[in-house]
Amino acid sequence: MVSFTVVDNVEGDGMGSSAGRQLCAMCIRHSVVAQGVLTWAKELAEKSDFITMVSYPTISPCILSLARLICRYHPLTRPAILDISLVFMGHSNREISHRKMQSIKEQCLRLMLWLTTQGLSLAVISAVQSKLERGGSG
């Protein structure tokens, strides 16, 4: 199991903090680090074997939470975060409980709804429409 803590309040989070808190602090304070994390997350999520990994059910919510945090502090990353949420929406794994997969997809939907309130409504609607026209794949 792999997971990390995602926190919005990073005041005083120094070297004594957990790795998750340090990652959050660096993503909030440095847009370059945030962009690097998003690149890593998208590449990881697009790998065909990612959804079969044992760590998928625990790392996916962490990645989506970190993406939400990044898009709050770095508005120019929002299109990349939409892409990541669409990748996660396309995941399906019968070995993971239906409840867990549904929870991850609900988190993606909440992230996309939040993006619509932040000025990406046309992009979100277009992306979802395109995904539906392709039959939900891709």
Side-chain angles (χ1 to χ4, degrees), residues 15-31:
M15 297 308 287
S17 300
S18 70
R21 286 179 176 270
Q22 289 179 24
L23 180 60
C24 292
M26 288 180 14
C27 286
I28 288 171
R29 293 181 183 131
H30 309 288
S31 61

Side-chain angles (χ1 to χ4, degrees), residues 13-110:
D13 280 346
M15 297 308 287
S17 300
S18 70
R21 286 179 176 270
Q22 289 179 24
L23 180 60
C24 292
M26 288 180 14
C27 286
I28 288 171
R29 293 181 183 131
H30 309 288
S31 61
V32 175
V33 174
Q35 190 63 44
V37 167
L38 293 178
T39 301
W40 164 79
K42 187 170 183 192
E43 286 181 13
L44 180 67
E46 288 178 336
K47 287 184 181 177
S48 59
D49 63 338
F50 175 61
I51 57 174
T52 60
M53 292 172 49
V54 174
S55 61
Y56 178 81
T58 55
I59 195 79
S60 297
C62 297
I63 291 172
L64 291 168
S65 294
L66 188 57
R68 177 190 47 80
L69 183 69
I70 289 171
C71 73
R72 284 188 59 208
Y73 289 93
H74 306 290
L76 295 177
T77 63
R78 291 175 183 161
I81 291 169
L82 173 59
D83 292 342
I84 290 170
S85 66
L86 290 169
V87 169
F88 276 96
M89 285 294 289
H91 288 172
S92 179
N93 184 346
R94 295 180 190 264
E95 293 178 13
I96 298 172
S97 73
H98 174 71
R99 178 181 236 161
K100 186 63 177 176
M101 286 303 296
Q102 183 178 359
S103 171
I104 292 169
K105 291 181 188 275
E106 285 175 0
Q107 191 174 0
C108 291
L109 284 174
R110 285 192 303 272

Side-chain angles (χ1 to χ4, degrees), residues 86 123-138:
L86 290 169
V124 171
I125 291 169
S126 296
V128 171
Q129 181 181 8
S130 174
K131 192 165 187 69
L132 289 172
E133 287 172 354
R134 289 190 311 256
S137 63

